[in-house]
Amino acid sequence: VVAKNGCGEKIAAVKLLAAAGKPGQRDGGMTVMVTARQYTHRLEGSSHKGLRLVVYPHGRHSHLASHKTMNYMFQRMAGKWASARQADEALILNADGSVSETNTANVLFSIGGKLYRPISEHVLPGTMEQAVCELLAKWGKPVERARLTVEELKGAESVILTNALMGAVPVAEI
């Protein structure tokens, strides 16, 4: 799939989708889809030393927010809203106004020398976030959970976004 999409030796973003089919079919009716596209890191060619965030004005409060689905409309709209404001990512808030995540990444932050990730009932754990947290714990820097406001996040010593494609990337501006 990578070669057929012209990625060759380049870095590729590969998506795998497995969907259950109808019960009673020989193979369960499973549908598998694999796509690949060339990937350019978010900071490549940028004059910024990190990503720029803006706070999305619409808090997430859908009952579907706690489920992994193929419905990314909320995140997509938040990302377009951020782009229209010359930002890289939209900071998503929980219904109570506390920080949750961005439209494509998990958030890690440092306050008072301690490392945290937001408490959010609706964020599914990211694979890169988990890997970073495990590595930090091995280095003797465990990551705790904390509920925080945007103002507290703005006062953090450092903020890092993580996702499987871009890895761990600093935030330059909120």
Side-chain angles (χ1 to χ4, degrees):
V1 171
V2 170
K4 287 199 175 212
N5 281 281
C7 297
E9 297 296 316
K10 301 170 188 160
I11 296 174
V14 178
K15 286 188 182 180
L16 304 170
L17 171 67
K22 296 178 182 176
Q25 289 182 327
R26 191 180 70 162
D27 61 357
M30 176 77 66
T31 298
V32 177
M33 182 176 76
V34 182
T35 62
R37 65 172 173 82
Q38 186 175 342
Y39 176 72
T40 303
H41 193 278
R42 301 280 299 275
L43 292 178
E44 189 174 312
S46 172
S47 61
H48 301 283
K49 295 184 187 223
L51 298 178
R52 296 159 299 155
L53 308 183
V54 290
V55 180
Y56 192 50
H58 308 289
R60 180 181 39 218
H61 53 271
S62 165
H63 66 283
L64 293 176
S66 298
H67 302 281
K68 185 75 170 172
T69 71
M70 292 304 296
N71 180 357
Y72 292 106
M73 187 57 70
F74 182 83
Q75 289 86 350
R76 186 172 172 85
M77 290 173 64
K80 285 184 178 268
W81 187 88
S83 287
R85 284 146 185 83
Q86 287 74 51
D88 300 301
E89 289 280 314
L91 188 62
I92 307 294
L93 304 180
N94 294 308
D96 67 0
S98 63
V99 173
S100 179
E101 61 186 339
T102 73
N103 57 292
T104 69
N106 294 102
V107 179
L108 299 173
F109 54 96
S110 172
I111 294 178
K114 289 188 173 185
L115 299 169
Y116 300 94
R117 52 184 164 173
I119 291 174
S120 178
E121 294 75 15
H122 303 299
V123 175
L124 296 172
T127 56
M128 182 58 65
E129 176 192 42
Q130 188 62 39
V132 168
C133 288
E134 288 173 7
L135 182 60
L136 288 167
K138 283 182 185 177
W139 290 348
K141 299 176 185 250
V143 178
E144 300 174 30
R145 292 204 176 266
R147 188 171 305 277
L148 81 156
T149 66
V150 173
E151 289 309 312
E152 289 169 318
L153 187 67
K154 285 180 179 180
E157 291 133 20
S158 65
V159 180
I160 297 171
L161 301 185
T162 62
N163 80 17
L165 275 176
M166 67 181 181
V169 176
V171 170
E173 176 184 322
I174 302 173

PDB file of all heavy atoms in Angstrom, residues 99 107-118 142-160 174:
ATOM      1  N   VAL A  99      -9.406  21.860  30.374  1.00  0.00           N
ATOM      2  CA  VAL A  99      -8.661  21.442  29.189  1.00  0.00           C
ATOM      3  C   VAL A  99      -8.818  19.943  28.964  1.00  0.00           C
ATOM      4  O   VAL A  99      -8.733  19.146  29.898  1.00  0.00           O
ATOM      5  CB  VAL A  99      -7.168  21.812  29.341  1.00  0.00           C
ATOM      6  CG1 VAL A  99      -6.329  21.235  28.214  1.00  0.00           C
ATOM      7  CG2 VAL A  99      -7.008  23.322  29.427  1.00  0.00           C
ATOM      8  N   VAL A 107      -2.403  16.275  25.295  1.00  0.00           N
ATOM      9  CA  VAL A 107      -1.657  17.379  25.895  1.00  0.00           C
ATOM     10  C   VAL A 107      -0.928  16.896  27.145  1.00  0.00           C
ATOM     11  O   VAL A 107      -1.517  16.223  27.992  1.00  0.00           O
ATOM     12  CB  VAL A 107      -2.612  18.534  26.294  1.00  0.00           C
ATOM     13  CG1 VAL A 107      -1.844  19.678  26.945  1.00  0.00           C
ATOM     14  CG2 VAL A 107      -3.409  19.026  25.097  1.00  0.00           C
ATOM     15  N   LEU A 108       0.349  17.225  27.255  1.00  0.00           N
ATOM     16  CA  LEU A 108       1.139  17.012  28.469  1.00  0.00           C
ATOM     17  C   LEU A 108       1.702  18.369  28.865  1.00  0.00           C
ATOM     18  O   LEU A 108       2.040  19.178  27.996  1.00  0.00           O
ATOM     19  CB  LEU A 108       2.291  16.033  28.214  1.00  0.00           C
ATOM     20  CG  LEU A 108       1.913  14.627  27.765  1.00  0.00           C
ATOM     21  CD1 LEU A 108       3.166  13.849  27.382  1.00  0.00           C
ATOM     22  CD2 LEU A 108       1.150  13.905  28.843  1.00  0.00           C
ATOM     23  N   PHE A 109       1.818  18.622  30.165  1.00  0.00           N
ATOM     24  CA  PHE A 109       2.308  19.925  30.588  1.00  0.00           C
ATOM     25  C   PHE A 109       3.074  19.809  31.890  1.00  0.00           C
ATOM     26  O   PHE A 109       2.944  18.845  32.638  1.00  0.00           O
ATOM     27  CB  PHE A 109       1.158  20.935  30.718  1.00  0.00           C
ATOM     28  CG  PHE A 109       0.040  20.472  31.611  1.00  0.00           C
ATOM     29  CD1 PHE A 109      -0.020  20.858  32.938  1.00  0.00           C
ATOM     30  CD2 PHE A 109      -0.963  19.655  31.110  1.00  0.00           C
ATOM     31  CE1 PHE A 109      -1.050  20.438  33.758  1.00  0.00           C
ATOM     32  CE2 PHE A 109      -2.002  19.220  31.925  1.00  0.00           C
ATOM     33  CZ  PHE A 109      -2.048  19.611  33.252  1.00  0.00           C
ATOM     34  N   SER A 110       3.901  20.834  32.137  1.00  0.00           N
ATOM     35  CA  SER A 110       4.725  20.887  33.337  1.00  0.00           C
ATOM     36  C   SER A 110       4.362  22.139  34.128  1.00  0.00           C
ATOM     37  O   SER A 110       4.369  23.245  33.581  1.00  0.00           O
ATOM     38  CB  SER A 110       6.197  20.937  32.934  1.00  0.00           C
ATOM     39  OG  SER A 110       7.011  21.169  34.056  1.00  0.00           O
ATOM     40  N   ILE A 111       4.018  21.939  35.415  1.00  0.00           N
ATOM     41  CA  ILE A 111       3.730  23.051  36.322  1.00  0.00           C
ATOM     42  C   ILE A 111       4.456  22.749  37.633  1.00  0.00           C
ATOM     43  O   ILE A 111       4.312  21.662  38.191  1.00  0.00           O
ATOM     44  CB  ILE A 111       2.212  23.213  36.579  1.00  0.00           C
ATOM     45  CG1 ILE A 111       1.495  23.619  35.285  1.00  0.00           C
ATOM     46  CG2 ILE A 111       1.953  24.234  37.685  1.00  0.00           C
ATOM     47  CD1 ILE A 111      -0.015  23.750  35.413  1.00  0.00           C
ATOM     48  N   GLY A 112       5.231  23.707  38.109  1.00  0.00           N
ATOM     49  CA  GLY A 112       5.957  23.524  39.358  1.00  0.00           C
ATOM     50  C   GLY A 112       6.917  22.352  39.331  1.00  0.00           C
ATOM     51  O   GLY A 112       7.149  21.703  40.340  1.00  0.00           O
ATOM     52  N   GLY A 113       7.466  22.067  38.159  1.00  0.00           N
ATOM     53  CA  GLY A 113       8.418  20.967  38.024  1.00  0.00           C
ATOM     54  C   GLY A 113       7.789  19.593  37.935  1.00  0.00           C
ATOM     55  O   GLY A 113       8.500  18.604  37.776  1.00  0.00           O
ATOM     56  N   LYS A 114       6.465  19.499  38.030  1.00  0.00           N
ATOM     57  CA  LYS A 114       5.771  18.214  37.911  1.00  0.00           C
ATOM     58  C   LYS A 114       5.117  18.107  36.544  1.00  0.00           C
ATOM     59  O   LYS A 114       4.704  19.112  35.953  1.00  0.00           O
ATOM     60  CB  LYS A 114       4.701  18.074  38.994  1.00  0.00           C
ATOM     61  CG  LYS A 114       5.262  17.869  40.374  1.00  0.00           C
ATOM     62  CD  LYS A 114       4.133  17.538  41.331  1.00  0.00           C
ATOM     63  CE  LYS A 114       4.686  17.148  42.689  1.00  0.00           C
ATOM     64  NZ  LYS A 114       3.618  16.712  43.589  1.00  0.00           N
ATOM     65  N   LEU A 115       5.009  16.880  36.054  1.00  0.00           N
ATOM     66  CA  LEU A 115       4.413  16.617  34.745  1.00  0.00           C
ATOM     67  C   LEU A 115       2.987  16.111  34.913  1.00  0.00           C
ATOM     68  O   LEU A 115       2.708  15.288  35.787  1.00  0.00           O
ATOM     69  CB  LEU A 115       5.249  15.592  33.993  1.00  0.00           C
ATOM     70  CG  LEU A 115       6.690  16.030  33.724  1.00  0.00           C
ATOM     71  CD1 LEU A 115       7.515  14.855  33.228  1.00  0.00           C
ATOM     72  CD2 LEU A 115       6.714  17.166  32.725  1.00  0.00           C
ATOM     73  N   TYR A 116       2.106  16.593  34.033  1.00  0.00           N
ATOM     74  CA  TYR A 116       0.692  16.252  34.108  1.00  0.00           C
ATOM     75  C   TYR A 116       0.107  16.001  32.729  1.00  0.00           C
ATOM     76  O   TYR A 116       0.654  16.434  31.722  1.00  0.00           O
ATOM     77  CB  TYR A 116      -0.104  17.414  34.723  1.00  0.00           C
ATOM     78  CG  TYR A 116       0.301  17.793  36.110  1.00  0.00           C
ATOM     79  CD1 TYR A 116       1.227  18.812  36.333  1.00  0.00           C
ATOM     80  CD2 TYR A 116      -0.243  17.142  37.216  1.00  0.00           C
ATOM     81  CE1 TYR A 116       1.597  19.179  37.612  1.00  0.00           C
ATOM     82  CE2 TYR A 116       0.130  17.506  38.502  1.00  0.00           C
ATOM     83  CZ  TYR A 116       1.040  18.517  38.695  1.00  0.00           C
ATOM     84  OH  TYR A 116       1.413  18.881  39.960  1.00  0.00           O
ATOM     85  N   ARG A 117      -1.043  15.334  32.732  1.00  0.00           N
ATOM     86  CA  ARG A 117      -1.912  15.272  31.563  1.00  0.00           C
ATOM     87  C   ARG A 117      -3.318  15.578  32.064  1.00  0.00           C
ATOM     88  O   ARG A 117      -3.650  15.293  33.218  1.00  0.00           O
ATOM     89  CB  ARG A 117      -1.830  13.947  30.832  1.00  0.00           C
ATOM     90  CG  ARG A 117      -2.030  12.703  31.645  1.00  0.00           C
ATOM     91  CD  ARG A 117      -1.818  11.496  30.749  1.00  0.00           C
ATOM     92  NE  ARG A 117      -1.619  10.301  31.540  1.00  0.00           N
ATOM     93  CZ  ARG A 117      -1.546   9.094  31.043  1.00  0.00           C
ATOM     94  NH1 ARG A 117      -1.664   8.916  29.749  1.00  0.00           N
ATOM     95  NH2 ARG A 117      -1.367   8.060  31.817  1.00  0.00           N
ATOM     96  N   PRO A 118      -4.120  16.211  31.230  1.00  0.00           N
ATOM     97  CA  PRO A 118      -5.443  16.655  31.692  1.00  0.00           C
ATOM     98  C   PRO A 118      -6.361  15.506  32.088  1.00  0.00           C
ATOM     99  O   PRO A 118      -6.327  14.439  31.488  1.00  0.00           O
ATOM    100  CB  PRO A 118      -6.030  17.381  30.485  1.00  0.00           C
ATOM    101  CG  PRO A 118      -4.888  17.682  29.598  1.00  0.00           C
ATOM    102  CD  PRO A 118      -3.869  16.622  29.858  1.00  0.00           C
ATOM    103  N   PRO A 142       7.361  10.683  36.749  1.00  0.00           N
ATOM    104  CA  PRO A 142       6.002  10.202  36.461  1.00  0.00           C
ATOM    105  C   PRO A 142       5.052  11.336  36.089  1.00  0.00           C
ATOM    106  O   PRO A 142       5.208  12.472  36.545  1.00  0.00           O
ATOM    107  CB  PRO A 142       5.577   9.544  37.771  1.00  0.00           C
ATOM    108  CG  PRO A 142       6.420  10.187  38.813  1.00  0.00           C
ATOM    109  CD  PRO A 142       7.724  10.532  38.143  1.00  0.00           C
ATOM    110  N   VAL A 143       4.096  11.018  35.245  1.00  0.00           N
ATOM    111  CA  VAL A 143       3.098  11.989  34.795  1.00  0.00           C
ATOM    112  C   VAL A 143       1.804  11.731  35.561  1.00  0.00           C
ATOM    113  O   VAL A 143       1.289  10.610  35.561  1.00  0.00           O
ATOM    114  CB  VAL A 143       2.851  11.870  33.278  1.00  0.00           C
ATOM    115  CG1 VAL A 143       1.783  12.858  32.820  1.00  0.00           C
ATOM    116  CG2 VAL A 143       4.159  12.090  32.508  1.00  0.00           C
ATOM    117  N   GLU A 144       1.310  12.766  36.216  1.00  0.00           N
ATOM    118  CA  GLU A 144       0.067  12.661  36.981  1.00  0.00           C
ATOM    119  C   GLU A 144      -1.080  13.249  36.172  1.00  0.00           C
ATOM    120  O   GLU A 144      -0.860  13.930  35.174  1.00  0.00           O
ATOM    121  CB  GLU A 144       0.205  13.434  38.301  1.00  0.00           C
ATOM    122  CG  GLU A 144       1.323  12.922  39.192  1.00  0.00           C
ATOM    123  CD  GLU A 144       1.512  13.796  40.420  1.00  0.00           C
ATOM    124  OE1 GLU A 144       0.531  14.403  40.896  1.00  0.00           O
ATOM    125  OE2 GLU A 144       2.653  13.874  40.896  1.00  0.00           O
ATOM    126  N   ARG A 145      -2.291  13.001  36.619  1.00  0.00           N
ATOM    127  CA  ARG A 145      -3.479  13.592  35.984  1.00  0.00           C
ATOM    128  C   ARG A 145      -3.927  14.788  36.808  1.00  0.00           C
ATOM    129  O   ARG A 145      -3.874  14.767  38.030  1.00  0.00           O
ATOM    130  CB  ARG A 145      -4.600  12.580  35.887  1.00  0.00           C
ATOM    131  CG  ARG A 145      -4.266  11.458  34.916  1.00  0.00           C
ATOM    132  CD  ARG A 145      -5.541  10.829  34.395  1.00  0.00           C
ATOM    133  NE  ARG A 145      -5.255   9.826  33.396  1.00  0.00           N
ATOM    134  CZ  ARG A 145      -5.244  10.067  32.089  1.00  0.00           C
ATOM    135  NH1 ARG A 145      -5.506  11.260  31.640  1.00  0.00           N
ATOM    136  NH2 ARG A 145      -4.989   9.107  31.237  1.00  0.00           N
ATOM    137  N   ALA A 146      -4.379  15.837  36.116  1.00  0.00           N
ATOM    138  CA  ALA A 146      -4.870  17.030  36.794  1.00  0.00           C
ATOM    139  C   ALA A 146      -5.927  17.715  35.931  1.00  0.00           C
ATOM    140  O   ALA A 146      -5.825  17.721  34.709  1.00  0.00           O
ATOM    141  CB  ALA A 146      -3.730  18.008  37.071  1.00  0.00           C
ATOM    142  N   ARG A 147      -6.940  18.265  36.584  1.00  0.00           N
ATOM    143  CA  ARG A 147      -7.941  19.068  35.887  1.00  0.00           C
ATOM    144  C   ARG A 147      -7.447  20.512  35.941  1.00  0.00           C
ATOM    145  O   ARG A 147      -7.090  21.002  37.009  1.00  0.00           O
ATOM    146  CB  ARG A 147      -9.304  18.941  36.565  1.00  0.00           C
ATOM    147  CG  ARG A 147     -10.431  19.608  35.779  1.00  0.00           C
ATOM    148  CD  ARG A 147     -11.796  19.279  36.341  1.00  0.00           C
ATOM    149  NE  ARG A 147     -12.104  17.876  36.454  1.00  0.00           N
ATOM    150  CZ  ARG A 147     -12.573  17.100  35.455  1.00  0.00           C
ATOM    151  NH1 ARG A 147     -12.781  17.610  34.270  1.00  0.00           N
ATOM    152  NH2 ARG A 147     -12.832  15.833  35.665  1.00  0.00           N
ATOM    153  N   LEU A 148      -7.374  21.171  34.782  1.00  0.00           N
ATOM    154  CA  LEU A 148      -6.874  22.536  34.792  1.00  0.00           C
ATOM    155  C   LEU A 148      -7.617  23.411  33.801  1.00  0.00           C
ATOM    156  O   LEU A 148      -8.230  22.915  32.857  1.00  0.00           O
ATOM    157  CB  LEU A 148      -5.371  22.585  34.522  1.00  0.00           C
ATOM    158  CG  LEU A 148      -4.900  22.482  33.069  1.00  0.00           C
ATOM    159  CD1 LEU A 148      -3.544  23.122  32.953  1.00  0.00           C
ATOM    160  CD2 LEU A 148      -4.844  21.040  32.650  1.00  0.00           C
ATOM    161  N   THR A 149      -7.543  24.684  34.055  1.00  0.00           N
ATOM    162  CA  THR A 149      -8.171  25.680  33.194  1.00  0.00           C
ATOM    163  C   THR A 149      -7.200  26.104  32.107  1.00  0.00           C
ATOM    164  O   THR A 149      -5.994  25.821  32.178  1.00  0.00           O
ATOM    165  CB  THR A 149      -8.570  26.921  34.008  1.00  0.00           C
ATOM    166  OG1 THR A 149      -7.365  27.549  34.476  1.00  0.00           O
ATOM    167  CG2 THR A 149      -9.477  26.566  35.180  1.00  0.00           C
ATOM    168  N   VAL A 150      -7.712  26.827  31.133  1.00  0.00           N
ATOM    169  CA  VAL A 150      -6.858  27.370  30.078  1.00  0.00           C
ATOM    170  C   VAL A 150      -5.835  28.325  30.678  1.00  0.00           C
ATOM    171  O   VAL A 150      -4.661  28.307  30.290  1.00  0.00           O
ATOM    172  CB  VAL A 150      -7.708  28.083  29.002  1.00  0.00           C
ATOM    173  CG1 VAL A 150      -6.823  28.803  28.001  1.00  0.00           C
ATOM    174  CG2 VAL A 150      -8.622  27.094  28.296  1.00  0.00           C
ATOM    175  N   GLU A 151      -6.241  29.149  31.633  1.00  0.00           N
ATOM    176  CA  GLU A 151      -5.307  30.098  32.258  1.00  0.00           C
ATOM    177  C   GLU A 151      -4.169  29.366  32.956  1.00  0.00           C
ATOM    178  O   GLU A 151      -3.010  29.798  32.891  1.00  0.00           O
ATOM    179  CB  GLU A 151      -6.039  31.036  33.223  1.00  0.00           C
ATOM    180  CG  GLU A 151      -6.922  32.053  32.532  1.00  0.00           C
ATOM    181  CD  GLU A 151      -6.209  32.840  31.429  1.00  0.00           C
ATOM    182  OE1 GLU A 151      -5.087  33.351  31.673  1.00  0.00           O
ATOM    183  OE2 GLU A 151      -6.756  32.929  30.315  1.00  0.00           O
ATOM    184  N   GLU A 152      -4.478  28.255  33.624  1.00  0.00           N
ATOM    185  CA  GLU A 152      -3.418  27.465  34.268  1.00  0.00           C
ATOM    186  C   GLU A 152      -2.493  26.859  33.219  1.00  0.00           C
ATOM    187  O   GLU A 152      -1.272  26.819  33.405  1.00  0.00           O
ATOM    188  CB  GLU A 152      -4.033  26.373  35.141  1.00  0.00           C
ATOM    189  CG  GLU A 152      -4.708  26.912  36.383  1.00  0.00           C
ATOM    190  CD  GLU A 152      -5.540  25.867  37.111  1.00  0.00           C
ATOM    191  OE1 GLU A 152      -6.254  25.082  36.438  1.00  0.00           O
ATOM    192  OE2 GLU A 152      -5.480  25.842  38.352  1.00  0.00           O
ATOM    193  N   LEU A 153      -3.059  26.399  32.101  1.00  0.00           N
ATOM    194  CA  LEU A 153      -2.241  25.837  31.029  1.00  0.00           C
ATOM    195  C   LEU A 153      -1.328  26.912  30.439  1.00  0.00           C
ATOM    196  O   LEU A 153      -0.156  26.658  30.161  1.00  0.00           O
ATOM    197  CB  LEU A 153      -3.117  25.220  29.937  1.00  0.00           C
ATOM    198  CG  LEU A 153      -2.364  24.455  28.853  1.00  0.00           C
ATOM    199  CD1 LEU A 153      -1.708  23.202  29.430  1.00  0.00           C
ATOM    200  CD2 LEU A 153      -3.299  24.079  27.716  1.00  0.00           C
ATOM    201  N   LYS A 154      -1.859  28.117  30.276  1.00  0.00           N
ATOM    202  CA  LYS A 154      -1.047  29.231  29.755  1.00  0.00           C
ATOM    203  C   LYS A 154       0.123  29.535  30.684  1.00  0.00           C
ATOM    204  O   LYS A 154       1.169  29.995  30.237  1.00  0.00           O
ATOM    205  CB  LYS A 154      -1.903  30.476  29.578  1.00  0.00           C
ATOM    206  CG  LYS A 154      -2.823  30.422  28.390  1.00  0.00           C
ATOM    207  CD  LYS A 154      -3.637  31.710  28.296  1.00  0.00           C
ATOM    208  CE  LYS A 154      -4.546  31.705  27.095  1.00  0.00           C
ATOM    209  NZ  LYS A 154      -5.341  32.956  27.010  1.00  0.00           N
ATOM    210  N   GLY A 155      -0.034  29.273  31.985  1.00  0.00           N
ATOM    211  CA  GLY A 155       1.030  29.523  32.950  1.00  0.00           C
ATOM    212  C   GLY A 155       1.994  28.361  33.124  1.00  0.00           C
ATOM    213  O   GLY A 155       2.936  28.453  33.907  1.00  0.00           O
ATOM    214  N   ALA A 156       1.780  27.281  32.391  1.00  0.00           N
ATOM    215  CA  ALA A 156       2.658  26.110  32.512  1.00  0.00           C
ATOM    216  C   ALA A 156       4.070  26.438  32.030  1.00  0.00           C
ATOM    217  O   ALA A 156       4.262  27.274  31.147  1.00  0.00           O
ATOM    218  CB  ALA A 156       2.086  24.942  31.703  1.00  0.00           C
ATOM    219  N   GLU A 157       5.044  25.752  32.639  1.00  0.00           N
ATOM    220  CA  GLU A 157       6.432  25.941  32.221  1.00  0.00           C
ATOM    221  C   GLU A 157       6.658  25.409  30.810  1.00  0.00           C
ATOM    222  O   GLU A 157       7.436  25.958  30.041  1.00  0.00           O
ATOM    223  CB  GLU A 157       7.359  25.217  33.206  1.00  0.00           C
ATOM    224  CG  GLU A 157       7.388  25.876  34.569  1.00  0.00           C
ATOM    225  CD  GLU A 157       7.229  24.877  35.716  1.00  0.00           C
ATOM    226  OE1 GLU A 157       7.474  23.677  35.524  1.00  0.00           O
ATOM    227  OE2 GLU A 157       6.849  25.328  36.798  1.00  0.00           O
ATOM    228  N   SER A 158       5.983  24.317  30.485  1.00  0.00           N
ATOM    229  CA  SER A 158       6.062  23.775  29.134  1.00  0.00           C
ATOM    230  C   SER A 158       4.782  22.999  28.839  1.00  0.00           C
ATOM    231  O   SER A 158       4.144  22.465  29.743  1.00  0.00           O
ATOM    232  CB  SER A 158       7.286  22.868  28.958  1.00  0.00           C
ATOM    233  OG  SER A 158       7.166  21.727  29.776  1.00  0.00           O
ATOM    234  N   VAL A 159       4.439  22.976  27.562  1.00  0.00           N
ATOM    235  CA  VAL A 159       3.284  22.223  27.082  1.00  0.00           C
ATOM    236  C   VAL A 159       3.745  21.442  25.858  1.00  0.00           C
ATOM    237  O   VAL A 159       4.412  21.999  24.975  1.00  0.00           O
ATOM    238  CB  VAL A 159       2.103  23.145  26.707  1.00  0.00           C
ATOM    239  CG1 VAL A 159       0.907  22.330  26.211  1.00  0.00           C
ATOM    240  CG2 VAL A 159       1.699  24.016  27.891  1.00  0.00           C
ATOM    241  N   ILE A 160       3.408  20.166  25.824  1.00  0.00           N
ATOM    242  CA  ILE A 160       3.807  19.298  24.715  1.00  0.00           C
ATOM    243  C   ILE A 160       2.561  18.599  24.189  1.00  0.00           C
ATOM    244  O   ILE A 160       1.713  18.145  24.963  1.00  0.00           O
ATOM    245  CB  ILE A 160       4.836  18.246  25.186  1.00  0.00           C
ATOM    246  CG1 ILE A 160       6.106  18.941  25.650  1.00  0.00           C
ATOM    247  CG2 ILE A 160       5.137  17.235  24.087  1.00  0.00           C
ATOM    248  CD1 ILE A 160       7.088  18.017  26.335  1.00  0.00           C
ATOM    249  N   ILE A 174      -0.173  29.766  23.153  1.00  0.00           N
ATOM    250  CA  ILE A 174      -1.591  29.468  23.401  1.00  0.00           C
ATOM    251  C   ILE A 174      -2.336  30.785  23.335  1.00  0.00           C
ATOM    252  O   ILE A 174      -2.038  31.698  24.070  1.00  0.00           O
ATOM    253  CB  ILE A 174      -1.824  28.799  24.774  1.00  0.00           C
ATOM    254  CG1 ILE A 174      -1.017  27.513  24.883  1.00  0.00           C
ATOM    255  CG2 ILE A 174      -3.322  28.523  24.972  1.00  0.00           C
ATOM    256  CD1 ILE A 174      -1.049  26.859  26.244  1.00  0.00           C
TER     257      ILE A 174
END
